[in-house]
Amino acid sequence: MPELPEVETVRRGLQPAMEGSKILKAEARRKDLRFPFQKDFIARLEGQTVTGLGRRAKYLMADLASGDVLLMHLGMSGSFRVLEGDLNNAPGQFHHPRSEDRAHDHVVFHMSSGAAIVFNDPRRFGYMKIIARNALEDEPLLKGLGPEPLGNEFDAAMLARSCFNKKTSLKAALLDQRVVAGLGNIYVCEALYRSHLSPRRLAATLATKKGEPTDYAGRLVGAIHAVLNQAIKAGGSSINDHRLTSGELGYFQHSFQVYDREGEKCQTKGCGGIVRRFVQNGRSTFWCPKCQK
């Protein structure tokens, strides 16, 4: 499942072709993706100018001049490509080709910028939904999401308050979208490693008995910021399905320090430990038992 850096990378790739451009024609080539398209899906898109393209957690959000917002989720295998002119040619080269079966091109936006934006999703776990901007706060898909980890309000104090008296593990807390939005398994593993905190540590240890942030909280927030910014700069991580809108791979996977490195020597200077893997809350956790406490 694409995480925050992958979705942010896609947003930045779509922005030049979508933002400030009008949707001249929209195509939904089937009745549903993960969920059925709304009956008025096409009618609410065509003729509308995209006034802004943002992101909330793992969702792409296109603001329309009408006051509607097009909410888009990539799912597990969804990808966008931006094409100029000939729809048979996708720019960019990549090692693991995404689906070349055009039967999986389920949604196409023809923009006044001259670009065609194609959403391809072989597994159809992605989805799109149009929501009135003034109804976003009550939207079930967005309601209850925690703070953005790269937002100004996300700091050690906020994280400590969210984890105060929590009985779950630190990793489970970070994967809870109500605590912090957009983090997934890869980047939680990497951030915990960089902050030298055990994924098994109790989340409550980020806060004192009075709810104030401990040193652990400060270290962890700094590591989250660093790993997300580095991943976005690298275009995200391409493990299975993530592609840039040009068709190219992200390459942050080459910078993993712990994720998917089971049996390798710990990269922390002077540690000498070995990276281990165990299953935690149904997900693979990679860590160094020697330096992550």
Side-chain angles (χ1 to χ4, degrees):
M1 183 77 72
E3 301 181 26
L4 186 154
E6 289 75 53
V7 179
E8 176 61 20
T9 299
V10 171
R11 187 195 71 80
R12 295 182 184 188
L14 291 175
Q15 193 172 26
M18 290 192 77
E19 204 165 77
S21 183
K22 182 180 293 186
I23 302 173
L24 299 178
K25 179 182 178 182
E27 299 179 61
R29 296 178 174 176
R30 54 178 301 116
K31 295 181 179 180
D32 59 3
L33 291 172
R34 184 174 178 179
F35 307 119
F37 288 112
Q38 294 148 298
K39 292 181 179 179
D40 58 355
F41 181 76
I42 297 297
R44 291 170 73 176
L45 291 176
E46 290 187 336
Q48 293 300 319
T49 296
V50 178
T51 58
L53 187 64
R55 178 193 53 76
R56 178 71 171 106
K58 301 177 186 180
Y59 293 96
L60 292 166
M61 301 175 68
D63 281 287
L64 306 178
S66 62
D68 282 336
V69 176
L70 172 61
L71 193 73
M72 300 173 279
H73 195 284
L74 296 173
M76 294 181 69
S77 63
S79 63
F80 284 95
R81 64 186 191 277
V82 178
L83 306 177
E84 302 285 348
D86 187 355
L87 291 183
N88 293 316
N89 293 320
Q93 300 296 322
F94 41 88
H95 181 59
H96 300 289
R98 65 175 136 199
S99 173
E100 293 296 328
D101 188 346
R102 295 300 176 250
H104 300 311
D105 287 350
H106 300 311
V107 181
V108 183
F109 304 125
H110 300 270
M111 310 300 298
S112 63
S113 63
I117 297 169
V118 183
F119 181 67
N120 182 288
D121 189 3
R123 301 184 193 179
R124 299 202 308 276
F125 285 142
Y127 48 92
M128 296 185 185
K129 183 178 182 180
I130 300 175
I131 308 163
R133 164 59 68 177
N134 58 15
L136 282 179
E137 289 187 3
D138 297 321
E139 170 54 43
L141 294 171
L142 300 174
K143 199 170 185 179
L145 285 177
E148 288 288 321
L150 293 177
N152 292 331
E153 72 279 9
F154 181 71
D155 57 14
M158 173 171 279
L159 184 58
R161 287 195 298 272
S162 297
C163 292
F164 182 62
N165 279 339
K166 273 191 175 294
K167 306 301 181 185
T168 60
S169 70
L170 188 48
K171 186 184 178 189
L174 293 176
L175 289 175
D176 185 344
Q177 298 299 294
R178 296 168 297 182
V179 173
V180 56
L183 290 182
N185 195 43
I186 291 174
Y187 299 107
V188 168
C189 285
E190 289 292 310
L192 287 172
Y193 174 77
R194 295 183 186 206
S195 57
H196 301 294
L197 296 176
S198 169
R200 289 189 168 112
R201 170 181 285 277
L202 281 178
T205 60
L206 296 187
T208 67
K209 292 181 179 180
K210 294 182 179 180
E212 297 173 349
T214 62
D215 175 63
Y216 303 133
R219 281 160 46 186
L220 184 54
V221 167
I224 289 171
H225 286 162
V227 73
L228 290 180
N229 282 320
Q230 186 182 351
I232 291 170
K233 186 176 180 180
S237 303
S238 296
I239 304 300
N240 293 312
D241 295 303
H242 170 62
R243 303 290 179 268
L244 310 187
T245 54
S246 64
E248 297 174 349
L249 288 171
Y251 56 89
F252 185 69
Q253 65 274 12
H254 302 303
S255 299
F256 289 164
Q257 294 183 12
V258 69
Y259 187 83
D260 205 25
R261 292 189 177 277
E262 182 183 11
E264 297 183 19
K265 289 184 179 179
C266 175
Q267 295 186 22
T268 299
K269 187 176 181 180
C271 174
I274 301 296
V275 175
R276 302 299 182 193
R277 172 189 172 274
F278 69 98
V279 177
Q280 189 178 24
N281 301 107
R283 306 298 300 276
S284 290
T285 294
F286 297 90
W287 72 311
C288 174
K290 187 172 181 180
C291 71
Q292 288 181 254
K293 302 299 182 181

